[in-house]
Amino acid sequence: MICDNLSINEQGHLCFAGQDTVELAKQYGTPLYLMDADRIRHNCRTYMSAMRKAYGDNFEVIYAGKAASFKQMYRIMKEEGMCVDSVSIGEIFTALSAGFPAEHIHFHGNNKTEQDLAFALDQSVGTIVVDNTDELTALNEMAGDKGIKQNILLRLTPGIDTHTYEAVSTGKVDSKFGFAIETGQAEEVTKLALSMEGIHLEGFHCHVGSQVFDSDSFVMSATIMLGFMKDIQTKYDYTAETIDLGGGYGVRYLESDPTMDIEANILRVADHIKTTCKELSLPLPKIMMEPGRSIVADAGMTLYTVGTVKEIPGYKNYVAIDGGMTDNPRYALYESAYTLVVANKAGEAADYIADVVGRCCESGDIIQPKVALPKTVVKGDVIAVCTTGAYNYSMSSHYNRFLKPAVVMLEQGKSFVAVRRETLDDLIRFDN
Ligand code: LLP
């Protein structure tokens, strides 16, 4: 099993967080997102305790809400002492509606509008991660009008290629995000920020990529960020209080994927940071990390019902399910791999190869090609797609006007609806 919250019971049913997924499918209907709240907490605690071990109290773990954003997530994050990263005022609003404290929100984005910034200032969002000079200038003026000094981090691009797939590699010099260190633009904007009345520059942020399995990229980005911090200290007599290394730790989608030892990686990066600070005679800055995927991915599962099995002799087999790229666009977008299990036949041998496809009017609507399923797979079976906690619900769409599934939370042996299933009326509520 790819994660220890998966098991098989005596009836041969797949269990998630100790609960029978076939029963959950019956109770709540399919398609259905499940979220294992206990696993989310476990993942938060892994980060929090490793960071505490590494840095004492001088750290923050910031959950990247883009991975999965709905009110119950922020309730958990608050209870676990996490900060959150929001990429839109929609995510900020969701967090605030759940009672998440504004001062622990970091506002990201490469093109925040002035309305976005005004909303963030009105709500007293703790940190704004500034991505470009237009934003910095606007923010300074708006903060000035309010008579406040807004706390910011500057997003820098350290120029690292994490050998991950191009679409999620964001720390390279030619990125749409942030200011490149190499070109001198990072230094220029630092100088500008330091001269601004309405701005408190807390430090620097970077994010080098996603689904990364080794700490090398983080060690490299720390080296570059601390080198930059030193350079700025020497030239402008400004010592950054904070370095944010972003998110990116990888998760297991397949048995063959490696297991990421989060604590060991954090401690390795911390050792490197401490040594480098000593060498450069820098005080140890507050270290921040922004995990998204590794907090929620393995806490999620999606359940579907098989509608039909189609065999094209000599060519291929299709198993069509009652969802698709509208609730999981990640194969269509990135050819992402997933582990699939026929939940009501989890104990059976799987040697029938089929493409598991959705019901959108599009040939690319594939959840996963060439999946090994039991030969007996048939209409009515429940298919579980594992590790869908990150970037599934949050990337879902209304293509073809399919309704978004419910999100059901599993917590301490109980289940409850965290996001209710959409209705047809929900679909037309904005239509005139
Ligand atoms: N911080 C920043 C600034 C980010 O851009 C991201 C992800 C994270 C943190 C969280 O990274 P994580 O720990 O989740 O890897 N939709 C894509 C992933 C896009 C990630 C974008 N940024 C996918 O489905 O794989």
Side-chain angles (χ1 to χ4, degrees):
M1 291 282 174
I2 42 175
C3 183
D4 57 20
N5 56 359
L6 296 165
S7 59
I8 299 176
N9 67 14
E10 313 83 64
Q11 288 122 288
H13 291 179
L14 181 69
C15 293
F16 189 52
Q19 302 191 38
D20 186 324
T21 57
V22 181
E23 290 304 318
L24 289 165
K26 244 186 239 155
Q27 185 180 348
Y28 295 102
T30 60
L32 183 68
Y33 295 115
L34 298 176
M35 286 300 257
D36 172 0
D38 301 321
R39 182 74 197 180
I40 298 171
R41 290 184 193 280
H42 165 88
N43 292 338
C44 292
R45 287 171 196 177
T46 302
Y47 272 94
M48 293 293 280
S49 79
M51 291 290 276
R52 195 166 292 118
K53 219 184 236 180
Y55 304 109
D57 284 332
N58 206 19
F59 74 90
E60 267 173 30
V61 185
I62 305 161
Y63 167 61
K66 71 205 83 188
S69 175
F70 51 89
K71 284 168 71 176
Q72 289 290 338
M73 283 299 303
Y74 296 104
R75 169 183 67 89
I76 296 176
M77 293 308 142
K78 184 177 166 191
E79 286 169 5
E80 294 301 322
M82 304 273 286
C83 293
V84 303
D85 143 4
S86 298
V87 168
S88 65
I89 61 170
E91 286 184 5
I92 295 175
F93 180 73
T94 309
L96 295 174
S97 312
F100 194 87
E103 68 267 27
H104 292 152
I105 297 178
H106 290 231
F107 187 18
H108 275 267
N110 70 311
N111 184 14
K112 304 176 192 80
T113 65
E114 297 196 3
Q115 291 91 319
D116 290 342
L117 294 173
F119 181 85
L121 290 182
D122 284 347
Q123 300 297 328
S124 306
V125 163
T127 307
I128 298 187
V129 184
V130 171
D131 209 280
N132 61 70
T133 312
D134 290 321
E135 178 187 347
L136 183 63
T137 309
L139 190 59
N140 180 43
E141 275 170 23
M142 294 163 93
D145 290 346
K146 279 190 164 309
I148 59 163
K149 255 184 170 338
Q150 177 62 43
N151 194 51
I152 69 156
L153 298 176
L154 287 173
R155 177 155 182 178
L156 309 184
T157 42
I160 290 168
D161 185 349
T162 52
H163 304 292
T164 170
Y165 36 111
E166 182 80 9
V168 292
S169 175
T170 45
K172 293 195 290 178
V173 171
D174 59 0
S175 167
K176 81 165 179 177
F177 298 102
F179 302 92
I181 295 177
E182 191 188 301
T183 59
Q185 287 160 309
E187 179 179 336
E188 279 307 306
V189 73
T190 303
K191 210 163 53 173
L192 180 61
L194 288 172
S195 73
M196 286 175 159
E197 274 301 305
I199 297 294
H200 170 73
L201 178 61
E202 186 188 332
F204 304 112
H205 171 284
C206 67
H207 171 78
V208 291
S210 203
Q211 188 62 356
V212 178
F213 276 102
D214 60 76
S215 42
D216 291 355
S217 323
F218 298 90
V219 164
M220 266 192 297
S221 63
T223 305
I224 294 168
M225 296 294 279
L226 292 169
F228 179 77
M229 178 176 158
K230 180 68 193 178
D231 194 32
I232 293 296
Q233 188 189 53
T234 312
K235 289 184 181 151
Y236 305 101
D237 193 27
Y238 162 77
T239 309
E241 300 151 45
T242 295
I243 297 290
D244 185 333
L245 294 174
Y249 281 179
V251 302
R252 296 183 81 205
Y253 288 102
L254 300 177
E255 277 311 330
S256 54
D257 287 336
T259 302
M260 180 83 190
D261 185 337
I262 290 173
E263 175 174 306
N265 274 275
I266 287 176
L267 294 178
R268 178 175 169 228
V269 175
D271 271 351
H272 174 75
I273 289 176
K274 287 175 194 167
T275 314
T276 309
C277 283
K278 251 195 212 122
E279 282 167 11
L280 297 174
S281 316
L282 283 172
L284 187 64
K286 178 190 254 192
I287 300 296
M288 297 181 176
M289 287 188 84
E290 272 169 5
R293 192 189 310 269
S294 52
I295 298 288
V296 287
D298 62 11
M301 171 182 282
T302 313
L303 300 179
Y304 299 102
T305 303
V306 174
T308 183
V309 178
K310 169 176 172 168
E311 299 190 340
I312 312 173
Y315 290 90
K316 61 154 83 167
N317 308 318
Y318 286 102
V319 171
I321 44 112
D322 57 352
M325 63 192 290
T326 44
D327 34 72
N328 182 357
R330 296 191 69 258
Y331 182 79
L333 277 172
Y334 318 118
E335 297 188 0
S336 301
Y338 281 100
T339 298
L340 280 71
V341 180
V342 177
N344 52 313
K345 296 173 178 170
E348 290 184 25
D351 47 12
Y352 176 78
I353 306 297
D355 284 11
V356 175
V357 298
R359 53 184 184 145
C360 291
C361 196
E362 176 151 339
S363 304
D365 175 22
I366 300 169
I367 292 290
Q368 199 64 198
K370 299 194 181 71
V371 184
L373 301 166
K375 254 199 286 295
T376 56
V377 65
V378 67
K379 178 178 166 74
D381 282 348
V382 175
I383 290 201
V385 183
C386 302
T387 330
T388 58
Y391 304 113
N392 273 237
Y393 171 71
S394 63
M395 292 178 77
S396 61
S397 77
H398 282 130
Y399 183 48
N400 291 173
R401 292 231 146 176
F402 283 114
L403 303 175
K404 292 192 186 182
V407 181
V408 163
M409 277 260 176
L410 310 178
E411 195 163 19
Q412 302 284 307
K414 296 204 169 69
S415 63
F416 64 93
V417 176
V419 182
R420 74 155 168 80
R421 186 177 298 286
E422 287 183 346
T423 63
L424 289 172
D425 283 332
D426 289 330
L427 268 186
I428 55 161
R429 72 191 190 279
F430 305 119
D431 298 13
N432 284 321

